[in-house]
Amino acid sequence: LSGGQKTRVALGKMLLSKPDILLLDEPTNHLDVDAKDALKEALKEYRGSVLLICHEPEFYQDVASQVWDCSKWTTKVL
């Protein structure tokens, strides 16, 4: 499997197990546009807590209820 396919399988297995919390570090790496859209929709429907590390505002804008900027050795809530 390619990197993107492996990521899709791992994310699918994780979401099907229905955990209470998801800790996702750059989950969009190796995903194409369609896979990113599917992941975004799955996260919108997810009822647990999500801690998401992501550098793509266009991905997390509609998913996150709170965004923390941890750049320049400081942390601020946007």
Side-chain angles (χ1 to χ4, degrees), residues 17-62:
S17 69
K18 298 182 181 178
D20 295 328
I21 186 168
L22 297 176
L23 305 174
L24 303 175
D25 183 11
E26 296 292 341
T28 58
N29 283 356
H30 307 292
L31 295 181
D32 60 24
V33 174
D34 292 334
K36 286 180 185 182
D37 290 343
L39 176 58
K40 182 187 268 190
E41 290 307 312
L43 291 176
K44 285 181 185 179
E45 294 175 14
Y46 180 70
R47 296 295 167 226
S49 298
V50 179
L51 176 60
L52 173 69
I53 298 170
C54 184
H55 296 94
E56 297 182 48
E58 62 280 355
F59 177 79
Y60 65 74
Q61 284 174 345
D62 300 329

Side-chain angles (χ1 to χ4, degrees), residues 65-70 74-78:
S65 61
Q66 194 174 71
V67 176
W68 294 8
D69 178 359
C70 300
T74 63
T75 301
K76 63 182 177 182
V77 179
L78 301 177

